[in-house]
Amino acid sequence: MSVPLSVAVTLGLLFFLSAGLNEQVAEGCTCLQRHPQRVFCESDIVIRAKVIGNVASTLPNLVAFNIKVITTYKPSIKKDIRVIYSTKICGAHLENGEYLLSGNIVDGVMIFGLCDLVWRWDQLSSVQKGNLSMYQRGCVCEITSCTGASCLTKKLQRKCLIGVKKSLSLDYEDALQAVCLPRSDGSCKWQK
């Protein structure tokens, strides 16, 4: 029994498309590299918290962690958060210990994932810890990546650049130790 050419081509295309879709799903749990100040500014909430352990989740498809908030960096809320949630797929797994965490507030609960700030507190440098108190002031600035000639532009306005180390931009490692803040002339500049 022979298979018509059109059926064979269709099956071949379906195979390659399904393989491509599976590859996208497998790569769906990666995040673009972003400066922590940018993540801070795009988050609803940023806290330093001590994770006490896992608790049974009351929400579907979410993992729950029992925490004690040590410091709230954004926003200054009065509500005492005791449980935070991460997605089961592409979520972050936390061990007991202190973390810097960012996320969004959805229906009154904090939800975070791999693309949020999920950093062990003891692995942050003293400079990074100090920068947290200045990030909010820098939220009027845009932090963006640059390559080649785009790193040399003089018309930055409210931008700080991450790219090849030049006079107007910082490489990513140096940028992690800096904060992008507005200046009196309305422009923004990296400050260490």
Side-chain angles (χ1 to χ4, degrees):
M1 179 175 150
S2 66
V3 177
L5 183 61
S6 62
V7 173
V9 170
T10 303
L11 289 174
L13 284 172
L14 286 173
F15 171 76
F16 285 113
L17 287 173
S18 67
L21 290 175
N22 286 337
E23 183 67 23
Q24 286 179 336
V25 171
E27 291 179 357
C29 292
T30 59
C31 305
L32 293 175
Q33 193 175 44
R34 297 183 303 162
H35 188 272
Q37 179 178 336
R38 185 170 170 197
V39 178
F40 179 102
C41 294
E42 292 172 357
S43 299
D44 294 337
I45 184 168
V46 181
I47 59 175
R48 174 184 174 194
K50 182 174 185 176
V51 175
I52 301 166
N54 289 46
V55 293
S57 178
T58 57
L59 302 173
N61 300 317
L62 297 174
V63 179
F65 299 93
N66 191 12
I67 64 162
K68 175 166 180 30
V69 175
I70 298 168
T71 308
T72 302
Y73 294 98
K74 181 187 177 188
S76 53
I77 56 172
K78 302 288 187 229
K79 183 182 174 187
D80 186 27
I81 298 173
R82 295 179 188 203
V83 178
I84 58 175
Y85 298 87
S86 183
T87 58
K88 287 183 180 177
I89 299 173
C90 297
H93 177 73
L94 303 178
E95 303 291 331
N96 289 355
E98 288 186 26
Y99 290 85
L100 175 65
L101 300 166
S102 70
N104 291 302
I105 303 296
V106 179
D107 294 330
V109 298
M110 179 180 173
I111 298 178
F112 67 98
L114 288 178
C115 298
D116 294 305
L117 297 174
V118 184
W119 291 356
R120 288 198 66 93
W121 186 255
D122 60 2
Q123 292 178 350
L124 293 172
S125 71
S126 58
V127 172
Q128 288 172 313
K129 291 174 183 177
N131 286 348
L132 289 168
S133 63
M134 295 186 285
Y135 281 169
Q136 185 69 46
R137 203 174 90 204
C139 286
V140 296
C141 300
E142 180 185 347
I143 298 173
T144 187
S145 298
C146 66
T147 56
S150 68
C151 292
L152 301 174
T153 181
K154 294 283 183 197
K155 197 168 187 175
L156 295 178
Q157 298 173 346
R158 291 192 167 268
K159 291 184 181 181
C160 289
L161 301 177
I162 297 175
V164 180
K165 193 171 185 176
K166 301 280 185 197
S167 61
L168 297 174
S169 67
L170 294 177
D171 64 28
Y172 188 74
E173 292 304 314
D174 286 341
L176 285 176
Q177 304 301 320
V179 60
C180 179
L181 293 174
R183 296 173 15 163
S184 59
D185 66 359
S187 66
C188 292
K189 184 177 180 179
W190 286 116
Q191 295 187 17
K192 289 188 173 191

